[in-house]
């Protein structure tokens, strides 16, 4: 178990390292000049040269990369050009907002999608199941910016129950959470339904049913237990993805998370801020994936981490 | 296969109960938050939404319009640009030219920062040093030179320069004063000032600031106790926040939003002419013999543009056509002429000058002005109507338009661009755009290659003239000289527009697109 964790940690850190290194190269290949974003369009070439010198942008890329690596291991990724503050600090100020939104969205998704998926799997080919199926397809098809604007118009302007933007009160969490969750619920509930349907058709369940095991036990202790791993993995993966910021939703609701931050950082070619955002979100995503992996034995006792599964 | 003991089973009913309970907890968690205020500002709190993040409470590096209102409510200068774009006294009770290269300034008596410490002459000299030292300073470029501060007594000092700086009182409006010990050659994001408000809380990442009335303020106390500053980058979000009453004031409104907000119950609009000139500027780096090197060709091309139609149909009356080389709101503005729409004359002139098969490349950066793409597409049609083909190349913000503008990446003919005059003076704009020299052009530091020595000499003469009457005369002459070179195919002055809730009054919107927060009132 310890070896497995160490191995996965090593893989995770290597993934993070390769990610931030790739981003380091890519942003420098992109057109645009951070010095211009920093000093403005009226700056002279001499001023721009001084700004490039100040931030080390006039040095060879390899030297910049070496400095970046040194900074990486000290956790200090330099000063954000646009915020004039340590880049890691700026990202850390935004991260709680993203974590809050991601956690609320994934909890709402789990609480609604799992029972809904089970409910659909227990009523195959019925009118009710067809109706819910149509709703989930609609949920999957609606772009989140449209859903967000509709919810905003409905519940922030026409019937002003919730705030329209930001996170000044807890009410501000409701509309963006629902906007994100609608799509996730549609996807996860259909996945749960598919997994459960497959398990209901499996021979072990037919045997259990013939031995008189109650439907509720068949559903939750047999079929759900065997469907748990893919569903839990999907939820975890979506949560990890949300940690990179739900850009569109953040923009629609003016949610001050890392998604809108990285968009701004890219627009202004704020290298330290881009790198800090990528580093922090990649670390979090890797940590979430590790937690998911470690949770497998809890969901299915047959799973042995680091070894071939035994039946 | 081992059958699980039946006793330990979870019934579906129990699971549904658990699910319902969890859902209820989640719901009530949110609703508990909503049970309180839903984000609506309180009766003694004013909420502003800015379109850009206020990452600084001074303006050493960047000064965007909306920030000025907030920055100057916390920090102040010796002077400010007043409603008539003339300098008005703020921390100085006297600011006058007492010699060709000397100004005498007296600080107001008893002025203190929000922490109670007095304002000293040393704070002024340190502020000037810091604004000068910061790399890529926005403000430094407007100063021909930074004057030396020579104390006379506790409150009086002289500002001495090597050459005359007759507009120093206007320039000093951009230097915000901070205690010397706390000032640094970088943007300040916190700290104390002399303004009517002080910062109590801020989140740089989220772009939110909380301001509270400064009890040590030297002037009349503001009526509003608290001000919340929020950052809402998307205009649609700002409009919705205003309509829902969550935000009291939004600014920098595009024509589309203005139309949407006009006439809405509970919402009012305010307009003012701005200090910015948007132009369709010619490339002055064309070699001799190129059609665009001839001012008559440039004038003929300008006649192809139906400015009135653009103003009315595309820009929805949110701008006015320029009638000079600077906006009419600037001090020192001189009306030099008008952009005339006459496509027949344009065609005839081009034919007369032997210009055939002319193709123009128009470049611009997205967001340079509202409805930029629509304006450019209309220009293609208008040029097409006189037999001139036009191609468009649009750059995204953060891209490499600067390299293009400097002619390092490719050739172009017309540029959609804007130029502000934060000092409120015409001379600032003239110096920035039309004072190019061959030396500056070597480093591509001129405004799109505009190097006309006679014009530069006239501008220099006007800027160094200490006598107001003669300065006006020279300034008029310089502006006419610029106009006669036909630097723009078309130019227009955008209006500054803000929208506010009905409960807000006392917004005195200035051409600087800012307003004194101290004057703002909240009705019940």
């Amino acid at each position: 178990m310890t070896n497995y964790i160490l191995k996965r940690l090593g893989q995770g850190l290597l993934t993070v390292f390769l990610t931030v290194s790739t981003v380091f190269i890519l942003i420098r290949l992109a057109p645009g000049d951070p010095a211009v974003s920093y000093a403005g369009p009226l700056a002279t070439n001499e001023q721009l040269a001084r700004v490039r010198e100040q931030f080390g942008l006039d040095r060879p890329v390899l030297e910049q990369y070496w400095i970046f690596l040194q900074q990486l291991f000290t956790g200090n990724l330099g000063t954000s050009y646009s915020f004039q503050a340590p880049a890691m600090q700026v990202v850390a100020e935004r991260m709680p907002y993203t974590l809050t939104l991601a956690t609320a969205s994934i909890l709402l998704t789990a609480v609604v999608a799992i029972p809904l998926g089970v409910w659909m799997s227990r009523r195959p080919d019925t009118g009710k199941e067809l109706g819910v199926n149509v709703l989930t397809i609609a949920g999957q098809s609606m772009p989140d910016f449209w859903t967000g604007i509709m919810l905003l118009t409905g519940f922030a302007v026409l019937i002003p129950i919730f705030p329209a933007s930001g996170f000044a009160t807890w009410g501000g969490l409701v509309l963006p959470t629902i906007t994100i969750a609608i799509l996730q619920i549609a996807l996860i509930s259909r996945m749960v339904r598919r997994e459960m349907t497959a398990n209901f058709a499996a021979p072990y369940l037919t045997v259990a049913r013939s031995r008189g095991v109650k439907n509720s036990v068949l559903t939750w202790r047999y079929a759900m237990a065997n469907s748990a791993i893919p569903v839990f993995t999907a939820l975890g993966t979506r949560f990890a993805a949300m940690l990179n910021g739900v850009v569109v939703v953040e923009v629609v609701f003016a949610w001050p998370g890392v998604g809108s931050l990285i968009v701004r950082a890219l627009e202004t070619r704020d290298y330290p801020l881009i790198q800090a955002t990528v580093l922090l979100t990649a670390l979090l995503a890797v940590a979430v994936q590790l937690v998911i992996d470690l949770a497998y034995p809890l969901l299915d006792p047959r799973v042995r981490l680091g070894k071939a599964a035994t039946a | 296969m081992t059958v699980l003991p039946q006793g330990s089973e979870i019934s579906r009913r129990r699971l549904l109960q658990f699910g319902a309970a969890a859902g209820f907890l989640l719901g009530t968690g949110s609703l508990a938050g909503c049970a309180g205020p839903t984000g609506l500002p309180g009766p003694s709190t004013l909420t502003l939404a800015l379109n850009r993040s206020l990452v600084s409470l001074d303006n050493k590096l960047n000064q965007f319009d909306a920030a000025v209102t907030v920055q100057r409510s916390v920090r102040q200068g010796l002077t400010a640009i007043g409603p008539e774009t003339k300098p008005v006294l703020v921390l100085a009770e006297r600011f006058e030219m007492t010699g060709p290269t000397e100004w005498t300034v007296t600080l107001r008596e008893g002025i203190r920062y929000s922490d109670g410490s007095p304002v000293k002459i040393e704070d002024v000299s340190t502020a000037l040093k810091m604004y000068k030292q910061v790399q890529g300073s926005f403000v430094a470029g407007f100063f021909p030179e930074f004057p030396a501060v020579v104390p006379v007594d506790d409150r009086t000092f002289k500002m001495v320069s090597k050459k005359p700086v007759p507009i120093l009182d206007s320039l000093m409006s951009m230097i915000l004063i901070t205690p010397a010990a706390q000032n640094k050659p970088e943007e300040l994001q916190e700290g104390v000032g002399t303004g009517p408000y002080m910062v109590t809380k801020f989140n740089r990442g989220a772009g939110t600031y909380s301001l509270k009335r400064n009890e040590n303020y030297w002037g009349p106390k503001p009526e509003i106790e608290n001000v919340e500053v929020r950052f809402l980058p998307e205009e649609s979000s700002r409009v919705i926040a205003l309509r829902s009453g969550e935000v009291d004031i939004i600014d920098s409104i595009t024509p589309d939003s203005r139309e949407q907000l006009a006439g809405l119950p509970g919402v009012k609009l305010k307009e003012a002419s701005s200090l910015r000139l948007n132009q369709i500027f010619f490339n002055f780096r064309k070699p001799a013999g190129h059609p665009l090197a001839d001012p008559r060709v440039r004038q003929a091309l300008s006649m192809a543009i139906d400015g009135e139609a653009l103003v009315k149909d595309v820009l929805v009356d949110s701008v006015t056509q320029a009638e000079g080389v600077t906006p009419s709101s600037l001090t020192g503005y001189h009306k030099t002429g008008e952009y005339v729409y006459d496509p027949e004359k344009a065609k005839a002139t081009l034919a007369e000058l032997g210009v055939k098969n002319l193709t123009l490349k128009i470049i611009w950066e997205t967001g340079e002005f509202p409805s930029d793409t629509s304006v450019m597409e209309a220009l293609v049609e208008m040029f097409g109507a006189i037999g001139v083909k036009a191609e468009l190349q649009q750059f995204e913000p953060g891209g490499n338009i600067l390299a293009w503008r400097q002619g390092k990446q490719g050739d172009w003919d017309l540029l959609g661009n804007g130029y502000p005059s934060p000092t409120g003076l015409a001379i600032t704009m003239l110096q920035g755009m039309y004072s190019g020299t061959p030396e500056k052009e070597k480093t591509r530091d001129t405004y799109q290659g505009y190097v006309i020595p006679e014009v530069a000499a006239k501008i220099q003469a006007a800027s160094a003239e200490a006598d107001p009457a003669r300065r006006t005369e020279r300034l008029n002459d310089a502006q006419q000289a610029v106009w006669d070179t036909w630097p723009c195919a078309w130019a227009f002055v955008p209006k500054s527009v803000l929208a506010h809730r009905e409960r807000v009054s006392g917004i005195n919107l200035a051409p600087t697109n800012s307003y004194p927060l101290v004057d703002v009132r909240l009705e019940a």
Side-chain angles (χ1 to χ4, degrees), chain B residues 412-488:
Chain B
W412 54 275
D413 302 296
L414 283 161
L415 166 75
N417 201 38
Y419 201 95
S421 174
T423 60
L425 301 170
I427 191 72
T428 302
M429 197 172 273
L430 294 171
Q431 285 172 323
M433 291 171 66
Y434 303 110
S435 286
T437 61
E439 292 72 38
K440 281 187 186 172
E441 181 53 16
K442 278 178 194 164
T443 54
R444 295 290 160 114
D445 282 324
T446 60
Y447 194 74
Q448 327 317 332
Y450 190 97
V451 182
I452 299 178
E454 312 84 79
V455 170
K458 285 176 191 279
I459 293 168
Q460 175 56 32
S463 69
E465 180 56 63
D467 179 70
R470 274 206 303 271
R471 187 162 68 235
T472 301
E473 199 179 303
R474 290 186 167 191
L475 209 48
N476 294 351
D477 185 33
Q479 288 175 79
Q480 192 60 56
V482 173
W483 177 267
D484 293 340
T485 62
W486 286 96
C488 305

Side-chain angles (χ1 to χ4, degrees), chain A residues 31-33 36-39 41-48 50-51 54 82-85 89-90 93-94 97 107-108 111 123 152 156-157 160-166 169-171 174 204 211 213-214 216-217 220-222 251-252 254 256 264 267 269, chain B residues 1 3-6 8-12 15 19 22-23 26 29-31 33-34 37-39 53 55 61-62 135-137 142 186-187 189 203-206 230-232 234 237 240-241 243-244 246 397-400 402 405-406 408 419-420 443-445:
Chain A
D33 183 353
V36 177
S37 299
Y38 180 82
L42 304 181
T44 63
N45 280 309
E46 190 191 343
Q47 286 172 325
L48 293 175
R50 282 207 301 267
V51 170
Q54 181 186 343
S82 49
F83 284 89
Q84 283 289 290
Q89 187 189 319
V90 174
E93 281 172 349
R94 291 261 191 150
Y97 293 95
L107 281 175
L108 183 61
V111 163
R123 290 160 183 78
L152 265 180
V157 178
I161 306 171
F162 300 113
S165 57
T169 66
W170 283 98
V174 177
Y204 77 91
R211 292 176 61 186
V213 178
K214 284 200 299 185
S216 58
V217 177
W220 299 107
R221 299 295 296 275
Y222 285 56
V251 168
V252 169
R264 179 184 162 172
E267 278 178 355
R269 300 294 184 271
Chain B
M1 181 168 172
V3 179
L4 289 163
Q6 300 284 307
S8 61
E9 74 189 33
I10 302 170
S11 70
R12 186 176 57 168
L15 189 109
L26 265 178
S30 298
L31 290 171
C34 307
T38 58
S53 183
V55 294
L61 280 167
N62 267 298
Q135 297 290 12
S137 170
F142 293 102
E186 58 190 57
E187 287 192 310
Q189 292 158 327
N203 181 324
R204 192 178 25 240
R230 294 177 57 191
F231 166 47
L232 300 178
E234 286 302 307
S237 304
I240 285 175
R243 288 180 60 184
S244 67
E246 198 179 306
N400 54 352
L402 182 69
R405 278 172 41 185
Q406 294 182 337
K408 293 173 180 174
Y419 201 95
T443 54
R444 295 290 160 114
D445 282 324

Side-chain angles (χ1 to χ4, degrees), chain B residues 110-400:
Chain B
I111 45 173
R112 295 182 173 277
Y113 293 106
S114 56
D115 64 355
S117 60
V119 178
K120 298 174 188 162
I121 294 171
E122 182 199 359
D123 300 341
V124 177
S125 56
T126 303
L128 279 165
K129 254 183 243 158
M130 297 303 153
Y131 273 82
K132 187 183 174 183
Q133 279 178 23
V134 70
Q135 297 290 12
S137 170
F138 163 80
V139 169
F142 293 102
F143 278 77
E145 63 172 289
F146 276 88
V149 173
V150 182
V152 175
D153 59 32
D154 279 354
R155 291 197 294 126
T156 305
F157 56 95
K158 290 189 184 300
M159 299 183 83
V160 183
S161 54
K162 293 187 181 78
K163 288 181 180 170
V165 187
I167 57 168
L168 189 64
D169 49 353
S170 290
L171 293 175
M172 284 305 289
S173 69
M174 295 191 291
I175 304 289
L176 302 181
I177 310 299
T178 296
Q182 296 177 26
N183 213 336
K184 291 176 282 192
E186 58 190 57
E187 287 192 310
L188 301 173
Q189 292 158 327
E190 49 190 318
V192 301
T194 54
Y197 287 94
M198 54 195 274
V199 179
T200 55
K201 200 171 62 173
F202 73 97
N203 181 324
R204 192 178 25 240
T208 57
Y209 279 76
S210 298
L211 310 180
K212 194 180 86 177
R213 194 161 44 203
N214 172 13
E215 299 304 334
N216 285 318
Y217 180 51
W218 54 269
K221 296 277 180 289
E223 282 199 13
I224 298 170
E225 201 176 328
N226 303 299
V227 177
E228 293 294 327
V229 181
R230 294 177 57 191
F231 166 47
L232 300 178
E234 286 302 307
E235 185 165 39
S236 56
S237 304
R238 289 198 302 280
V239 169
I240 285 175
L242 182 82
R243 288 180 60 184
S244 67
E246 198 179 306
V247 159
D248 291 307
I249 306 172
I250 61 172
D251 57 322
S252 309
I253 293 168
T254 59
D256 288 347
S257 295
R258 193 181 68 152
E259 274 199 297
Q260 192 187 335
L261 290 166
L264 273 182
V267 173
K268 286 186 171 178
L269 293 170
K270 267 207 180 318
E271 281 185 5
S273 185
S274 78
L275 305 178
R276 187 179 179 86
L277 185 76
N278 289 328
Q279 327 110 3
I280 310 299
F281 204 91
F282 285 106
N283 185 351
F284 274 77
R285 293 193 175 99
K286 297 293 179 186
H290 188 283
L292 292 188
D294 185 342
R296 292 170 301 169
V297 173
R298 296 198 293 265
Q299 183 178 2
L301 288 170
S302 88
M303 288 179 188
I305 298 173
D306 186 352
E308 274 181 33
L310 287 173
V311 169
K312 198 167 174 292
D313 302 332
V314 180
L315 295 158
V316 212
D317 287 321
S318 65
V319 309
T320 52
Q321 283 199 82
E323 294 183 325
V325 293
T326 65
S328 59
S329 54
L330 298 186
T331 297
Y333 158 79
H334 175 60
K335 183 178 172 176
T336 51
E338 289 177 1
Y339 289 101
V340 178
Y341 174 55
D342 191 343
E344 291 310 315
K345 193 175 176 186
K347 255 194 278 194
T349 307
L350 290 178
E352 195 182 306
L353 295 169
V355 178
K356 290 178 191 164
N357 306 323
L358 183 62
T359 300
L360 300 174
K361 182 168 201 162
I362 308 175
I363 66 167
W364 83 102
E365 191 174 83
T366 306
E368 189 61 61
F369 43 79
S371 311
D372 45 52
T373 308
S374 306
V375 169
M376 297 308 179
E377 285 168 351
L379 289 183
V380 172
E381 294 298 317
M382 290 169 185
F383 285 131
I386 62 159
V388 173
K389 198 176 162 202
E391 298 167 355
L392 301 180
Q393 184 160 349
Q394 187 171 7
F395 293 81
E396 286 309 307
N400 54 352

